[in-house]
Amino acid sequence: MTAIPIIETASPLDDPRVRQLRDRLRGGGLTAAGDGSLDVPAIVRDIVADVADRGDEALVALAERLDDVQMTPDELRVPVSLLEAAHGAADAEFMALARRVVQNIRDYQRHIRLEAPASLRRGGRRLGVRYTPIERVGVYVPGGKAMYPSTVLMTVVPALVAGVKEIVLVSPPTDDAVNPMVMALAAELDIREVYRVGGAQAIAALALGTQRIRPVHKIVGPGNAFVAEAKRQLFGRVAIDSIAGPSEVLILADDTAPDDWVAADLLAQAEHNPGSAILVTPSATLAKNVLRELERQLAQLDRADETRQALAAYSGIIVTPDLDAAIAVVNDFATEHLEIVTADDEAVLERVRNAGAIFLGPHTPVPVGDYYAGPSHVLPTGGTARYFGALSVNDFLKASSVIHYDEAGLAEDATDIADFATREGLTAHAWAVLIRGQDVVE
């Protein structure tokens, strides 16, 4: 039978088995860095220091050592002619599909884009906010077996909708340039600045700049443990979307959910390997039926062995005493993807506080959001949905407060302002108000 543990518990939040599973996900138990034998932070620190010291020379040396690709610094940037050639050679049906996805993303991101409300007016005071796009953004696109062309669309299109003027793509190098699909989609989206650099060194180059790569103001996009650690170390020098780990799904389902559909959705996430797939349900019957379905469907998968390993290592079925306890587990885990398949999905949704993306109803599996619907699939993992949200157009906007006082407004507030400043010992602050006329405070 499938070695996915079933945890039946009367008090899930206090059950050490549930906490162990949650803490494993939250504490980085899922990692793309292997068995823990590598000191990822130390390796990344050395790479960042090397890029800071040698710039492009470090990038080409690391490409040869880590990617087995030889090039010169002048070959770091992919020529526009190669981007256009890849676009022309791309599969026509795929490009048509990509355009439909782009339109879906544009429609959704335009719908949720922040717009400044009318100014708040109080007498001679006008208070408002102004949203302006970040000027230069770097997008990391994974390569190799983890190359997902959908990531190009899910990161670049929200930035375009925000109005970002300069978008830079970086992706691990190949002998020719970068993955042809990445080049084709870059050309489709009119991205002209693409570099053959991957891993932690790509994040360092974007954050610090090199001789040929100007630094960006924000970096977005998923990557392996080294990419995530580089983003962690360089945060503050540059803005980031989040520090993402391997993918995860939590399915909250009751006995109305089709057990074969639930099993299929768990397998889809475990297929990532590493990937976490968790079912939380008040129905012991559903739990047993899903376990049976997992075994049946596993036998049909191309990657059955790898998926079975992920189920055993990173996944679980939690059987709670009631729906209230199941919802409490949902909010505690704060998962990347949350599927809700219950008798009253909307009522359950109202009680959910922590999740990256929420998929309602039996006809909304996670791949709908991964590829097509419109919201970005770049999502918080490892419990960080407690304080991070899905990447969106609004992550590429910055807010500037706008404050305007006329003479009468300042006269009315001057005494309070000066009093507050004086109490903090900042008399120059007080004088900056008072100097505007003794009549203001008399």
Side-chain angles (χ1 to χ4, degrees):
M1 290 294 291
T2 302
I4 182 171
I6 293 184
I7 303 171
E8 294 193 51
T9 175
S11 182
L13 296 187
D14 298 323
D15 192 306
R17 297 168 298 173
V18 174
R19 290 203 305 268
Q20 184 180 31
L21 178 59
R22 179 206 65 190
D23 292 345
R24 174 166 188 152
L25 308 185
R26 189 173 292 177
L30 275 72
T31 174
D35 59 5
S37 60
L38 296 177
D39 187 345
V40 175
I43 293 171
V44 169
R45 276 194 296 273
D46 289 344
I47 290 173
V48 170
D50 192 18
V51 173
D53 182 45
R54 297 195 295 146
D56 293 337
E57 291 296 336
L59 297 182
V60 298
L62 288 164
E64 182 173 3
R65 177 160 64 91
L66 301 177
D67 300 304
D68 197 27
V69 172
Q70 292 186 336
M71 58 180 162
T72 67
D74 286 336
E75 294 172 314
L76 283 167
R77 183 165 179 171
V78 179
V80 173
S81 59
L82 281 184
L83 302 179
E84 293 174 343
H87 185 268
D91 178 76
E93 290 186 1
F94 172 72
M95 295 308 296
L97 170 60
R99 291 180 191 113
R100 293 195 295 274
V101 175
V102 167
Q103 190 58 53
N104 289 346
I105 298 171
R106 284 188 192 277
D107 289 345
Y108 175 79
Q109 300 296 336
R110 285 170 176 163
H111 178 70
I112 68 167
R113 189 185 194 278
L114 288 171
E115 299 295 341
S119 295
L120 173 65
R121 295 182 180 273
R122 295 201 312 256
R125 312 160 190 83
R126 176 168 56 86
L127 310 172
V129 64
R130 182 170 179 255
Y131 295 109
T132 54
I134 295 171
E135 293 180 14
R136 184 169 169 83
V137 167
V139 174
Y140 186 88
V141 182
K145 68 178 183 179
M147 210 301 281
Y148 302 116
S150 54
T151 294
V152 178
L153 307 183
M154 295 290 183
T155 50
V156 171
V157 177
L160 290 172
V161 173
V164 176
K165 285 187 170 56
E166 297 180 24
I167 300 175
V168 183
L169 288 189
V170 292
S171 194
T174 66
D175 288 331
D176 298 322
V178 298
N179 186 284
M181 207 173 291
V182 172
M183 293 193 291
L185 292 176
E188 175 70 23
L189 297 172
D190 200 29
I191 304 303
R192 320 297 276 179
E193 194 173 350
V194 179
Y195 294 97
R196 307 168 65 195
V197 56
Q201 59 270 29
I203 304 302
L206 290 174
L208 305 175
T210 69
Q211 293 88 342
R212 290 167 176 80
I213 303 175
R214 290 190 297 112
V216 302
H217 304 136
K218 185 166 189 170
I219 302 172
V220 302
N224 63 20
F226 298 94
V227 170
E229 178 60 26
K231 289 166 77 174
R232 187 196 313 273
Q233 291 187 18
L234 289 162
F235 174 61
R237 181 66 176 261
V238 67
I240 62 172
D241 47 358
S242 64
I243 302 168
S247 196
E248 57 197 38
V249 68
L250 189 152
I251 302 176
L252 172 58
D254 62 17
D255 53 14
T256 67
D259 50 36
D260 54 343
W261 294 8
V262 171
D265 291 356
L266 292 171
L267 291 172
Q269 212 66 26
E271 186 178 35
H272 285 285
N273 191 25
S276 170
I278 297 170
L279 169 63
V280 180
T281 178
S283 171
T285 299
L286 178 69
K288 293 173 184 176
N289 290 343
V290 167
L291 188 63
R292 184 184 65 248
E293 274 295 319
L294 285 172
E295 189 64 33
R296 185 183 70 81
Q297 294 182 34
L298 259 173
Q300 305 169 15
L301 297 182
D302 293 337
R303 303 183 65 206
D305 290 341
E306 296 91 336
T307 304
R308 190 186 299 273
Q309 292 169 10
L311 288 174
Y314 310 121
S315 305
I317 297 175
I318 303 171
V319 181
T320 63
D322 52 38
L323 187 60
D324 290 343
I327 294 172
V329 172
V330 166
N331 285 319
D332 189 45
F333 272 63
T335 192
E336 177 190 17
H337 303 101
L338 169 64
E339 290 188 13
I340 300 175
V341 189
T342 64
D344 193 344
D345 300 328
E346 295 290 345
V348 172
L349 174 64
E350 290 299 314
R351 301 174 60 188
V352 171
R353 300 189 307 275
N354 302 323
I358 302 171
F359 300 78
L360 286 182
H363 300 286
T364 321
V366 166
V368 169
D370 282 345
Y371 298 113
Y372 202 76
S376 178
H377 71 201
V378 179
L379 299 165
T381 63
T384 59
R386 290 168 292 160
Y387 43 83
F388 279 124
L391 183 73
S392 79
V393 58
N394 299 317
D395 290 296
F396 299 100
L397 300 174
K398 46 188 170 46
S400 300
S401 53
V402 178
I403 305 168
H404 177 263
Y405 268 56
D406 64 14
E407 184 177 1
L410 182 59
E412 187 172 344
D413 292 350
T415 299
D416 283 349
I417 298 168
D419 185 21
F420 217 121
T422 301
R423 290 174 187 274
E424 291 192 347
L426 300 176
T427 54
H429 283 62
W431 180 241
V433 174
L434 301 181
I435 197 174
R436 279 159 167 77
Q438 293 298 319
D439 58 317
V440 168
V441 294
E442 288 176 354

